[in-house]
Amino acid sequence: MNNEIENKLRDKNTKPTSMRILVYDFLASQHIALSLSEMEAHFYPADRITLYRTLKTFEEKGIVHSIQENNTSKYILCHDDCNEETHKDWHLHFYCKICKHTTCRTDINFSAPDNNSVRIDEVRLFAKGICENCMNETMQ
């Protein structure tokens, strides 16, 4: 598993340090976006600054994308085709008001313009509502 992560990091021009491998592995196991504080709780007693720098490096290299939510950044892994210049997260970011989870809704996506008159590097779409799990629980 570590070799696979190391290769993914190298493919993104990112040196595979121990902390970067741990953070990537942790994010790969998540299906929701997480804040720095939430990740810090998982990596306690790791240094908060090191964790923050790792996330910022990952964001710059197209490894994670951040979602701004109530003055807090949350992070989730990007698709493999994101890079340093362009994040291709052309999908909706969805916040559930009940369970408080933020997820990427790849079933709701948008396409880039067909012409080359502009280059769109990033799209940020955010919605609030109730997720499928919470809807099912409230209907029972």
Side-chain angles (χ1 to χ4, degrees), residues 8-104:
K8 283 183 180 250
L9 293 175
R10 282 191 191 99
D11 288 346
K12 301 285 186 174
N13 300 314
T14 305
K15 184 178 177 183
T17 64
S18 297
M19 183 57 135
R20 289 174 180 171
I21 292 167
L22 289 171
V23 170
Y24 188 98
D25 188 42
F26 177 67
L27 287 172
S29 71
Q30 303 300 307
H31 69 283
I32 62 172
L34 299 168
S35 68
L36 174 62
S37 296
E38 290 168 321
M39 285 194 271
E40 186 180 18
H42 175 78
F43 287 104
Y44 182 82
D47 180 45
R48 180 181 181 88
I49 300 300
T50 302
L51 185 55
Y52 175 78
R53 288 182 181 154
T54 297
L55 292 169
K56 284 301 168 189
T57 298
F58 280 9
E59 189 173 18
E60 291 167 7
K61 299 293 187 174
I63 298 168
V64 300
H65 62 269
S66 66
I67 302 162
Q68 299 304 310
E69 177 186 303
N70 301 327
N71 297 322
T72 301
S73 294
K74 291 196 170 188
Y75 302 90
I76 195 161
L77 285 181
C78 286
H79 295 288
D80 286 339
D81 57 350
C82 290
N83 59 46
E84 294 178 60
E85 295 176 13
T86 307
H87 282 266
K88 298 180 181 179
D89 60 331
W90 291 74
H91 55 264
L92 184 70
H93 299 119
F94 183 81
Y95 173 79
C96 178
K97 297 186 290 185
I98 295 176
C99 67
K100 312 278 191 249
H101 290 163
T102 302
T103 56
C104 291

Side-chain angles (χ1 to χ4, degrees), residues 127-138:
K128 292 182 180 182
I130 301 173
C131 71
E132 297 91 347
N133 292 338
C134 293
M135 285 289 286
N136 290 335
E137 288 179 15
T138 58

Side-chain angles (χ1 to χ4, degrees), residues 91 104-109 132:
H91 55 264
C104 291
R105 295 300 309 253
T106 55
D107 59 324
I108 305 170
N109 55 49
E132 297 91 347

